[in-house]
Amino acid sequence: MPRLLPWTSEAGKACYLSTDSGSSMLSGLADEMEEVQLSMGEDVLREARRLLSDPLSPHAEVRYAGIRLAECLVDALRVAESRGMRLPVPDSEEHAAAEERPAPPAHPARQRPAPAQSP
């Protein structure tokens, strides 16, 4: 199966690598680029949180952070899609057993607080 690469063509279209080996020079370059993209996303997120925690942050800086966050999200989603495409397909028996298992609990940071109840 072709590997989705972490960059696009000049026309903005997805690029794929067709190889049987995950250890080719281009695969290694793609792996390194994915790591750089994810690391940059962490850096941008850290800076955006700093800006957003300050109510006096200039509008232009907050807007710039939002633009950069959107760029990083596109990169992270592409990395997730590429890595997901490379996961082995489970056997039908394993797949059926996995569907019977209960779902893991939600990540605490993603849970929303319960709405306040009025008196």
Side-chain angles (χ1 to χ4, degrees):
M1 169 175 261
R3 174 185 177 166
L4 177 63
L5 296 172
W7 53 78
T8 59
S9 70
E10 289 181 19
K13 295 188 179 198
C15 294
Y16 293 89
L17 173 63
S18 180
T19 182
D20 292 336
S21 169
S23 60
S24 71
M25 192 166 99
L26 193 53
S27 284
L29 180 63
D31 291 341
E32 289 175 22
M33 184 64 172
E34 286 179 351
E35 292 304 317
V36 167
Q37 288 173 324
L38 295 175
S39 177
M40 286 173 49
E42 290 173 345
D43 294 343
V44 170
L45 179 59
R46 191 172 18 264
E47 182 62 17
R49 283 182 170 154
R50 185 190 66 76
L51 281 169
L52 294 172
S53 69
D54 181 359
L56 299 178
S57 291
H59 171 77
E61 287 183 27
V62 173
R63 186 175 189 289
Y64 179 73
I67 291 168
R68 292 297 318 275
L69 284 168
E71 292 169 353
C72 292
L73 179 58
V74 167
D75 291 342
L77 290 173
R78 184 179 296 113
V79 169
E81 181 180 1
S82 175
R83 292 181 180 182
M85 290 170 60
R86 290 181 275 148
L87 290 174
V89 177
D91 293 341
S92 59
E93 291 177 15
E94 290 177 21
H95 185 66
E99 287 180 350
E100 292 174 7
R101 284 187 226 130
H107 188 280
R110 294 188 182 118
Q111 292 177 345
R112 293 188 179 155
Q117 300 205 355
S118 56

